């Protein structure tokens, strides 16, 4: 039991750590101030770890769409309240923190299923690949939509706090 709990905690920390590294890389593309990197890493790690906990737990695993929405809400709230401290707009932190959560595998499988759907003319194979195209495409679309809504909702709800950073 203790080993399982330690492994679970290690997996959470590992997930957050790699998300933080990816967020620093994505943040460096937009050339933010130097003090913004630590906030990007922290926010990405907490958001990605939240999604990991929601999708991998013993009390009922949440679907990736809902977990991504809640994790992006966490990212949005953290960016709103940390932006004035870093004296940067909230978007400086939210976009790099969200990028590690983009469902790349679902997008890849969508395109793969589209190409296979166009390749096969047999009805059974076409229906199978069309099903995969629909499932992966809708999953990818709703994950991204949930991430966008979850990250921007706190910016609009806490408008006074979020815009203090740029005043």
């Amino acid at each position: 039991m203790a080993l399982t709990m330690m492994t679970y905690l290690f997996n959470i920390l590992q997930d957050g750590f790699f998300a933080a590294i990816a967020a620093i890389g994505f943040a460096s593309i937009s050339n933010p101030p130097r003090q913004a990197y630590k906030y990007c890493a922290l926010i990405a790690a907490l958001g990605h770890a939240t999604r990991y906990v929601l999708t991998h737990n013993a009390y009922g695993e949440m679907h990736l769409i809902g977990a991504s929405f809640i994790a992006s809400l966490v990212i949005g709230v953290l960016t709103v309240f940390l932006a004035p401290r870093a004296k940067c707009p909230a978007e400086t932190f939210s976009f790099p923190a969200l990028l590690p959560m983009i469902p790349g595998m679902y997008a890849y499988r969508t395109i793969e299923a589209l190409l296979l759907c166009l390749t096969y003319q047999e009805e059974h194979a076409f229906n199978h690949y069309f099903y995969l195209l629909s499932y992966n495409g809708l999953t990818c679309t709703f994950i991204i939509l949930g991430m966008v809504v979850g990250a921007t909702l706190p910016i609009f709800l806490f408008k006074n706090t979020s815009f203090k950073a740029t005043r």
Side-chain angles (χ1 to χ4, degrees):
M1 176 74 179
L3 182 63
T4 305
M5 184 58 119
M6 292 299 290
T7 304
Y8 183 64
L9 290 175
F10 177 74
N11 289 341
I12 293 170
L13 291 174
Q14 182 181 13
D15 189 68
F17 175 74
F18 287 122
I21 290 174
I24 290 171
F26 288 128
S28 67
I29 295 170
S30 60
N31 198 17
R34 190 172 294 272
Q35 76 267 14
Y37 288 111
K38 61 184 174 188
Y39 293 109
C40 287
L42 175 70
I43 292 168
L46 291 174
H48 216 279
T50 300
R51 186 173 83 164
Y52 183 86
V53 167
L54 291 173
T55 56
H56 300 88
N57 62 60
Y59 302 109
E61 296 175 350
M62 185 179 279
H63 193 272
L64 191 59
I65 296 172
S68 295
F69 172 72
I70 292 171
S72 64
L73 271 175
V74 168
I75 288 172
V77 169
L78 287 173
T79 57
V80 165
F81 289 108
L82 290 177
R85 185 175 194 162
K87 296 177 179 60
C88 292
E91 294 82 11
T92 305
F93 311 120
S94 63
F95 296 141
L98 286 173
L99 286 174
M101 291 197 322
I102 297 248
M105 188 54 82
Y106 285 103
Y108 174 80
R109 288 179 183 157
T110 300
I111 299 303
E112 180 185 35
L114 173 66
L115 294 175
L116 290 171
C117 189
L118 295 174
T119 302
Y120 287 98
Q121 295 181 6
E122 178 187 321
E123 185 176 359
H124 179 70
F126 176 83
N127 288 338
H128 173 70
Y129 290 119
F130 190 74
Y131 165 76
L132 292 177
L133 170 70
S134 303
Y135 176 77
N136 291 316
L138 287 173
T139 302
C140 183
T141 301
F142 281 109
I143 288 173
I144 292 173
L145 183 65
M147 288 171 41
V148 168
V149 170
T152 56
L153 196 60
I155 293 172
F156 293 123
L157 290 177
F158 304 110
K159 188 182 289 189
N160 293 336
T161 306
S162 67
F163 291 120
K164 281 182 187 176
T166 56
R167 289 184 194 158

